[in-house]
Amino acid sequence: MADIVIGSGPAGVSVAQALLARGREVVMLDGGKVLEDAARARRDAIAATAPEDWTDAARDAWQAPQFDTPDGQVRRYGSDFAMEPGVTTLSDPDGFALRASRAVGGLSNLWGAAVLPYRTADLAGWPVTAEALAPHYRAVAGFMPVAGRADDLEALLPAFPMEGRRPLPPSPQAEVLLARLDAARAALAGMGVHAGAGRQAVDAECRQCGQCLHGCPWGHIWSAARTVAELRARTGFTHRPGPPAQGFAETAEGVEVTLEDGTRLAGTRLFIAAGVLETARLLLASHPGGAGRLRLRESGYFFLPALHRWRAKRRPDAPPFTTLPQAFVEIDDPSVSPHLVHAQLYTWNAFYPRDLVASYGAKLPGSAPLWRALARRLIVAQVFLHSDHYAAVDVTLAPDGRLAATVAADPGTALVANAATARLGRALGHAGLSTLGFARRPGAPGSSFHVGGSVPMASDPAPGQADRLGRPQGLGRVHLVDASVLPSIPATTITFSVMANAHRIGTEAP
Ligand SMILES: Cc1cc2nc3c(=O)[nH]c(=O)nc-3n(C[C@H](O)[C@H](O)[C@H](O)COP(=O)(O)OP(=O)(O)OC[C@H]3O[C@@H](n4cnc5c(N)ncnc54)[C@H](O)[C@@H]3O)c2cc1C
Ligand code: SF4
């Protein structure tokens, strides 16, 4: 019998890689959704022409469906295949923006590709250290590209050394910004702030076309779907896309998974990587010994816009450039937070002028050119906080089989967000940016997608917790391997660590 993995997103492919490396057989299930034929044809058509030869009309037509995305949805390639609408998973999705995926490759079909490891100081209460994850970060980087360079971030986050890695070329604005941050590093260090180049899960072959937020025409932003395609060629691996799993049970010999069409599959062990919401649903539906209520934790965030004061030598909106995060800035000061506060800085992208004109242009007729010019000076920081400073969300199984979610806000969020805003304002001021604190915008609960912690791993698990191999108390052959088992959610991007932890469980599981 094979091991069964539910989910083909970043966590699913990581545990599968580890199991296959041990010579085990793996059957991988997922929801089976892929990019529709029409969207695929649009993507292939734009990819057939070199970016230098795109006409304005062709580029505008390619971008239009993404600009039309409904609120709360994230769209790439003009398609919603990779993100389920809230109502398919949640009985009342208002007020909670986390969404599930039933796609091959999961949410990594549309993610932002920012990658950083965790550091042990931010893992209080974990039964695992960042040092224990280190070999697994390296193993993950064996099948997922990590672009970036060795800089001041390395000393702060040593679990994944950057030696030998290549950065993507910075955007025109980022080139200036990174040089200024570097020149100000002593002043920044004096205020507990450390900066470096962004690190992204992107191929070195990136063509600098600036379409990252619309869907990479050539697939240079890593998605787990790419790794699934590679695994399909491996002996011992079977991919069974759709129908989705409905529940599971442990049997005398192993495990049994029931699919939505009633099919039953037997396996030796079960590794659940269905994404935090679907994993919670499967667990609540299948393991009546559980508490019946799971508490999710989130590394919440806010957007902090800034304008650069320097005079640009190159237009920021003329390729070559990427629109992924260009610089990472970390605040390491207990007077702001006992944990790292992580900011990722985004330079010009085509959404900036559109959003500014839409928000302010109507109030001042004829002012659109002004907003477009201002957009060319805009740099936006997305600032993440450790989950200790953010809302918790309780989920239970609704009578119709979906999840009912209740958000409990954390009154301490504002204090930490204010301290982080002030510190970033001072630090980025040294690099020629004026932050606009009055325009700060908080993310809605769930919208960071840096969410987990529903069945936290513990050295000595109590009811509602899991052991260090992700097994919920009372289960012996079922391992949760996605963010559900992270005991807390540090600020420094979630997916790389979810993958390393899934790889670790796949390596250590009996
Ligand atoms: C817009 C956006 C930007 C993001 N940017 C970043 C970023 O820059 N950096 C970062 O670290 N993280 C980012 N994230 C978060 C990142 O996408 C997730 O952390 C990551 O995808 C989680 O991986 P996963 O494998 O646990 O789950 P998912 O990616 O959600 O995959 C779930 C898998 O399970 C399958 N599945 C679901 N239900 C079932 C079922 N019932 N039966 C069978 N299969 C099922 C799905 O088909 C899928 O294959 C971003 C997310 C979004 C939405
Ligand atoms: S800039 Fe973005 S969209 Fe263009 S090739 Fe590079 S990763 Fe792909």
Side-chain angles (χ1 to χ4, degrees):
M1 272 195 306
D3 291 324
I4 300 177
V5 174
I6 301 182
S8 61
V13 299
S14 301
V15 73
Q17 291 273 14
L19 293 168
L20 289 167
R22 294 170 65 188
R24 304 186 65 109
E25 283 186 30
V26 172
V27 174
M28 178 175 276
L29 314 175
D30 60 33
K33 292 193 177 176
V34 293
L35 191 62
E36 303 83 356
D37 288 346
R40 188 178 291 263
R42 281 182 71 250
R43 183 198 66 186
D44 293 349
I46 192 123
T49 307
E52 310 79 79
D53 297 330
W54 289 345
T55 61
D56 286 351
R59 201 197 44 238
D60 291 352
W62 159 250
Q63 294 182 338
Q66 286 74 247
F67 290 138
D68 261 355
T69 307
D71 267 358
Q73 196 71 16
V74 180
R75 183 177 283 174
R76 305 279 191 254
Y77 306 112
S79 168
D80 295 327
F81 80 103
M83 184 180 277
E84 294 296 299
V87 288
T88 56
T89 321
L90 299 163
S91 54
D92 179 8
D94 283 353
F96 184 47
L98 186 64
R99 298 292 177 261
S101 174
R102 287 194 161 185
V104 178
L107 292 171
S108 67
N109 288 286
L110 42 74
W111 73 321
V115 282
L116 270 182
Y118 287 162
R119 63 166 192 174
T120 295
D122 289 335
L123 305 185
W126 285 49
V128 178
T129 60
E131 290 72 34
L133 290 177
H136 305 286
Y137 285 121
R138 285 199 298 279
V140 168
F143 62 89
M144 180 180 81
V146 178
R149 66 178 195 198
D151 51 28
D152 284 358
L153 301 177
E154 184 131 324
L156 206 58
L157 297 153
F160 182 68
M162 292 299 287
E163 195 189 335
R165 308 227 152 239
R166 281 200 1 229
L168 295 175
S171 71
Q173 289 169 319
E175 194 175 349
V176 182
L177 175 65
L178 287 168
R180 285 171 164 257
L181 285 168
D182 201 38
R185 62 200 290 257
L188 264 52
M191 54 180 97
V193 175
H194 309 273
R199 301 180 190 176
Q200 312 90 353
V202 173
D203 298 327
E205 293 75 21
C206 161
R207 299 176 70 162
Q208 301 282 304
C209 72
Q211 300 304 310
C212 318
L213 301 180
H214 297 273
C216 178
W218 300 275
H220 285 318
I221 301 175
W222 179 85
S223 139
R226 182 204 293 186
T227 302
V228 176
E230 289 159 6
L231 290 176
R232 285 170 76 117
R234 294 263 294 269
T235 311
F237 180 82
T238 308
H239 181 209
R240 276 187 73 139
Q246 194 173 46
F248 65 83
E250 287 195 339
T251 61
E253 299 80 34
V255 293
E256 187 177 79
V257 175
T258 308
L259 307 186
E260 283 185 1
D261 68 353
T263 307
R264 287 162 185 252
L265 300 174
T268 313
R269 282 181 178 271
L270 175 60
F271 298 86
I272 307 186
V276 174
L277 288 177
E278 282 283 325
T279 295
R281 208 176 56 77
L282 286 166
L283 187 66
L284 290 168
S286 310
H287 182 42
R293 174 181 295 273
L294 302 176
R295 170 155 283 207
L296 310 186
R297 306 309 314 250
E298 175 170 11
S299 162
Y301 72 97
F302 58 88
F303 284 117
L304 180 63
L307 295 173
H308 68 71
R309 299 192 297 266
W310 65 82
R311 183 182 288 269
K313 294 205 181 95
R314 250 177 77 194
R315 272 186 77 113
D317 52 351
F321 60 83
T322 78
T323 49
L324 296 166
Q326 303 283 331
F328 291 161
V329 177
E330 314 300 320
I331 304 176
D332 182 21
D333 183 344
S335 72
V336 176
S337 163
H339 308 288
L340 282 187
V341 172
H342 165 71
Q344 34 197 65
L345 271 61
Y346 293 81
T347 55
W348 191 91
N349 69 65
F351 287 86
Y352 287 178
R354 292 183 66 89
D355 289 354
L356 283 182
V357 171
S359 302
Y360 307 109
K363 293 176 194 146
L364 202 60
S367 63
L370 170 75
W371 300 115
R372 287 198 201 96
L374 210 61
R376 290 199 288 273
R377 283 187 174 253
L378 184 64
I379 291 181
V380 177
Q382 186 177 17
V383 186
F384 289 91
L385 309 177
H386 186 280
S387 59
D388 278 4
H389 307 304
Y390 200 67
V393 179
D394 290 331
V395 294
T396 54
L397 198 62
D400 61 9
R402 292 182 292 176
L403 293 173
T406 313
V407 177
D410 181 340
T413 302
L415 271 180
V416 183
N418 289 345
T421 301
R423 185 63 54 91
L424 274 175
R426 275 177 57 210
L428 296 179
H430 281 271
L433 294 184
S434 298
T435 54
L436 310 176
F438 64 88
R440 185 176 81 183
R441 193 153 50 85
S447 66
S448 74
F449 283 81
H450 295 194
V451 181
S454 42
V455 190
M457 292 182 295
S459 319
D460 184 13
Q465 296 181 325
D467 68 8
R468 67 189 297 283
L469 297 178
R471 289 177 294 197
Q473 212 210 28
L475 292 172
R477 295 169 190 262
V478 177
H479 304 255
L480 311 187
V481 298
D482 57 22
S484 308
V485 292
L486 304 189
S488 59
I489 316 296
T492 48
T493 85
I494 188 170
T495 306
F496 198 22
S497 297
V498 165
M499 295 173 78
N501 192 53
H503 191 275
R504 180 189 64 78
I505 294 176
T507 306
E508 296 176 4

